[in-house]
Amino acid sequence: MVHTGFNPALVALSIGLAIFASYTALDLGARVRDSASGPRWPWVAGAALALGGGIWSMHFVGMLAFEMALHAAYDLGLTVLSLVIAIAVTGAGFAWVVRRRGDRAGILIAGPLMGLGIAGMHYTGMAALRLPGHLTYSLPIVGVSIVIAVTAATAALWLAFRQHGVWQKLVAACVMGFAVAGMHYCGMAAATVTATETASHAGMTVLEQQNLAVYVAGTTFLILFLAMLASSLDQQRVQQELQASEGRFRAAIEAVRGVLWTNDAAGRMVGEQPGWSAITGQSRAQYQGYGWADAVHPDDVKESVETWTETVKARRTYVHEHRVRSRDGTWRHYAIRAVPVLDARGAIREWVGVHTDITEQRMAEADLRESNEEIQRYAYIVSHDLRSPLVNVMGFTSELEATRAEMRTALQGHPEAERLDTDFGEALSFVKAAVNRMEALIAAILKLSREGRRHFTPEDLDMAAVLQALADAQRHQAEAAGAQVLIAHDLPGIVADRLAVEQIFGNLLDNAVKYLDPSRPGRITVTARSAGPRGICFSVADNGRGIAPRDHARVFELFRRSGLQDRPGEGIGLAHVKALVRSIGGRIEMRSTLGEGTTFDVTLPCRAAKAGLDPAERAPLAAE
């Protein structure tokens, strides 16, 4: 038996190598996992070289740390073979797990295979040892070392394909490094050296201890160099992607005529803000902290600062609108949206916001409102002025009615008296019908012009109850037409003006009943479906006459009617419905097939639209 021991310094170095190799492999393995685009094999090869070569280096540094009173050398062929085994089995394990996308089954298959390969590397390296003596092994301890190798390899693959930061990665590398070192020194503990008188190295190339140390050192430095090179290349790739992403982001901001700015966690503007400086002309010293508020319009500054302060405290998205003084001294309207950027702990790191110039849009809206108001006033004035002579015509018609009676008395007995009375009466009926029609048209124009100035009062509406009440009001007409009106019981509620909603659906139900096909039983249904997170689409469908495709675009036009004109009407109902729907923030569409039926889809907001509550107010563009 030969007395043996270990050099503590080299033992510590071997453990350090195992930890370093483990960390490098984990880092490269993470890049394998994160490379969603591009080839993955370079990172697989790098991870295999780092872990396999690192374990090999650790093994032979551990062998150099093994001290005994015998001259030791190493067979070159077996030494190289042990390195090849380490890299090959490690690469195969990483490749298999990558192919299986890091799932548990793939790791449980590749881990044990990799562990057996690493154990094979260790005992191949032990077999390369040449000394004047014999090596024997304790099989139970060998089994323990293999178990440690399998466990370490499985843990290495599992950790390499998990999400983790630098500190977690370092802790994992330490755990795995100590496990690999434990496997090695457990395998060394299984070996017993018995001295003999001579050692024969005939016919083989051997490495002396000093040469082995040089080769191990070279391998270690090669691993370090390749790891640094891989990290450097990947860092360049990441930097290029970041630059490209930043360029796209800035281009997107410019495309929407926006200005990007950042504030610290407390909501103060700090650092260089070239975008803000470009639009306001403020220097860094002027806009620092809350100095940016000096560029906000005096009428808007108080609300802007207060809402910003409240948003920062509440940690929510900031949405606002105000006027900002430009570099040339003019005031421009900006819509603002800012979001908090959180760190890994969930704390606010900074605020990133965008000012979007909406001056032209607000000016266009003001011009449009002024034009609409002018049109409404003009319609009102014209309708009012037309009604005055119409009243005179109606008055003179009444006088002619009285004159007709006098003429009948005066012409009594005249042979043409009956004919003249009939002609006179027919002419009067034509005049009265024309006057009544003109009165209805003027009333319709006045009604539509008033809708633009109408104020709505939103309230919670149980749509099933509201529409059922409308259907009950139409029951007599529906029964007379032999029709059923079916209202779904699960209609969602909305917040809107009750009268406007009743007028919209009352008109649609009335039209559906009015234009049913007499050749088949009528069926009218009202259903609803979701139209996004903020809207509900109510559908009024019938199996009536339907509307010809050529008339689809004209049904909402004022005074326009389509199809057979056998029902009374002036062609203002659907125009009125469309005006009401738009006034409360919704939209209406129609689908119809001639001879089969018609469906009107009315999409209304779940909550009352601000623009519909008061047409004089504009809805902020920066609304969430």
Side-chain angles (χ1 to χ4, degrees):
M1 298 290 292
V2 178
H3 175 71
T4 59
F6 290 92
N7 185 318
L10 291 177
V11 170
L13 177 61
S14 68
I15 296 174
L17 279 174
I19 294 174
F20 170 73
S22 300
Y23 184 88
T24 304
L26 289 175
D27 184 59
L28 295 175
R31 300 177 196 276
V32 173
R33 182 194 66 229
D34 296 337
S35 57
S37 60
R40 295 186 176 188
W41 67 264
W43 304 117
V44 173
L49 183 62
L51 188 59
I55 293 173
W56 181 87
S57 297
M58 177 269 153
H59 169 81
F60 281 100
V61 170
M63 294 297 296
L64 293 174
F66 185 55
E67 296 178 339
M68 55 187 171
L70 295 175
H71 175 74
Y74 297 87
D75 180 79
L76 179 60
L78 291 176
T79 301
V80 173
L81 178 60
S82 66
L83 175 61
V84 172
I85 291 174
I87 296 175
V89 297
T90 305
F94 273 115
W96 177 257
V97 176
V98 168
R99 182 177 180 182
R100 294 297 300 267
R101 301 184 182 276
D103 64 351
R104 182 178 299 178
I107 292 174
L108 291 178
I109 293 174
L113 292 177
M114 185 187 292
L116 292 174
I118 291 173
M121 178 279 301
H122 172 80
Y123 288 105
T124 300
M126 291 289 290
L129 180 62
R130 295 291 179 262
L131 46 77
H134 295 289
L135 280 175
T136 58
Y137 293 94
S138 170
L139 292 181
I141 301 179
V142 169
V144 172
S145 69
I146 293 175
V147 170
I148 294 175
V150 170
T151 303
T154 304
L157 290 176
W158 186 84
L159 292 170
F161 288 88
R162 299 279 80 77
Q163 296 286 348
H164 40 59
V166 175
W167 285 105
Q168 293 91 334
K169 195 185 303 180
L170 183 59
V171 171
C174 291
V175 172
M176 194 165 71
F178 279 108
V180 171
M183 179 273 297
H184 171 81
Y185 289 107
C186 183
M188 292 291 293
T192 301
V193 181
T194 304
T196 59
E197 294 183 358
T198 59
S200 174
H201 305 314
M204 65 177 64
T205 303
V206 297
L207 296 172
E208 298 297 331
Q209 291 269 23
Q210 296 83 355
N211 293 334
L212 178 62
V214 172
Y215 290 136
V216 170
T219 302
T220 303
F221 281 114
L222 176 62
I223 293 171
L224 176 62
F225 171 75
L226 291 176
M228 293 177 62
L229 179 62
S231 297
S232 176
L233 293 175
D234 193 53
Q235 187 65 31
Q236 291 181 8
R237 178 188 62 82
V238 172
Q239 187 67 26
Q240 291 174 354
E241 291 179 354
L242 286 175
Q243 290 176 351
S245 178
E246 182 179 358
R248 286 193 297 270
F249 179 69
R250 292 188 177 279
I253 295 297
E254 292 177 3
V256 297
R257 299 192 345 186
V259 173
L260 181 68
W261 49 265
T262 58
N263 282 11
D264 64 10
R268 297 182 298 266
M269 190 172 281
V270 296
E272 293 290 341
Q273 304 292 337
W276 182 259
S277 181
I279 65 171
T280 64
Q282 284 185 313
S283 65
R284 178 172 178 174
Q286 290 174 322
Y287 61 66
Q288 287 290 298
Y290 285 97
W292 55 267
D294 294 338
V296 178
H297 194 282
D299 295 341
D300 301 339
V301 65
K302 182 179 179 181
E303 183 182 2
S304 298
V305 173
E306 289 177 351
T307 54
W308 175 241
T309 303
E310 292 173 1
T311 300
V312 172
K313 290 180 180 178
R315 296 161 54 94
R316 63 174 184 266
T317 300
Y318 180 65
V319 179
H320 192 57
E321 181 181 326
H322 61 206
R323 289 163 290 178
V324 176
R325 184 182 59 249
S326 300
R327 184 185 292 270
D328 59 4
T330 60
W331 297 100
R332 300 190 68 82
H333 288 262
Y334 286 89
I336 314 143
R337 188 177 183 88
V339 295
V341 180
L342 308 180
D343 59 20
R345 297 171 299 175
I348 296 179
R349 186 175 72 240
E350 63 179 347
W351 291 80
V352 177
V354 175
H355 266 60
T356 304
D357 192 336
I358 57 169
T359 305
E360 282 73 18
Q361 179 173 339
R362 287 298 179 230
M363 293 174 63
E365 289 175 356
D367 292 342
L368 181 61
R369 284 196 303 274
E370 185 176 350
S371 298
N372 287 339
E373 291 171 359
E374 185 65 29
I375 291 172
Q376 291 167 8
R377 287 193 298 269
Y378 180 75
Y380 183 80
I381 292 170
V382 169
S383 301
H384 182 271
D385 290 348
L386 284 175
R387 177 167 284 181
S388 295
L390 193 62
V391 171
N392 292 332
V393 173
M394 294 175 67
F396 282 112
T397 302
S398 299
E399 291 188 11
L400 288 175
E401 286 278 6
T403 303
R404 179 187 178 189
E406 295 176 358
M407 289 178 59
R408 187 183 301 116
T409 302
L411 294 175
Q412 190 172 7
H414 192 282
E416 296 294 326
E418 184 176 354
R419 182 185 64 78
L420 291 173
D421 184 66
T422 301
D423 292 344
F424 199 93
E426 184 178 1
L428 279 178
S429 64
F430 285 146
V431 172
K432 290 171 65 175
V435 168
N436 290 334
R437 179 173 175 79
M438 190 65 179
E439 172 67 18
L441 295 179
I442 293 173
I445 294 173
L446 284 172
K447 187 175 184 181
L448 290 178
S449 68
R450 291 191 187 104
E451 293 297 347
R453 299 187 300 276
R454 177 172 169 181
H455 292 269
F456 298 102
T457 303
E459 60 179 286
D460 291 320
L461 298 180
D462 181 347
M463 290 300 290
V466 170
L467 292 174
Q468 188 60 55
L470 293 174
D472 292 341
Q474 296 275 352
R475 182 174 300 170
H476 176 73
Q477 293 92 324
E479 290 177 351
Q484 280 185 308
V485 180
L486 304 175
I487 309 298
H489 298 293
D490 58 349
L491 298 180
I494 62 173
V495 177
D497 182 83
R498 177 180 294 273
L499 180 59
V501 170
E502 290 176 345
Q503 288 178 306
I504 291 168
F505 290 98
N507 271 282
L508 294 179
L509 290 174
D510 181 64
N511 277 357
V513 172
K514 186 185 296 184
Y515 296 107
L516 287 171
D517 189 336
S519 65
R520 57 176 178 266
R523 181 181 177 86
I524 302 166
T525 61
V526 180
T527 57
R529 67 178 186 275
S530 174
R534 300 183 182 180
I536 302 294
C537 179
F538 297 91
S539 298
V540 180
D542 64 61
N543 63 341
R545 302 177 180 180
I547 300 172
R550 67 176 181 275
D551 293 325
H552 285 189
R554 301 186 296 178
V555 294
F556 296 108
E557 295 179 8
L558 188 62
F559 307 133
R560 297 296 293 269
R561 304 181 68 192
S562 63
L564 181 64
Q565 305 299 309
D566 60 344
R567 294 289 187 272
E570 303 295 338
I572 65 173
L574 288 178
H576 185 213
V577 166
K578 184 174 184 179
L580 281 173
V581 170
R582 293 179 62 181
S583 295
I584 61 176
R587 68 177 185 274
I588 183 170
E589 298 169 323
M590 185 205 69
R591 294 172 284 131
S592 184
T593 302
L594 189 63
E596 296 183 8
T598 303
T599 299
F600 286 94
D601 295 318
V602 180
T603 302
L604 299 177
C606 299
R607 310 295 299 178
K610 184 175 181 181
L613 299 181
D614 186 354
E617 296 183 31
R618 67 171 182 271
L621 183 70
E624 291 188 79

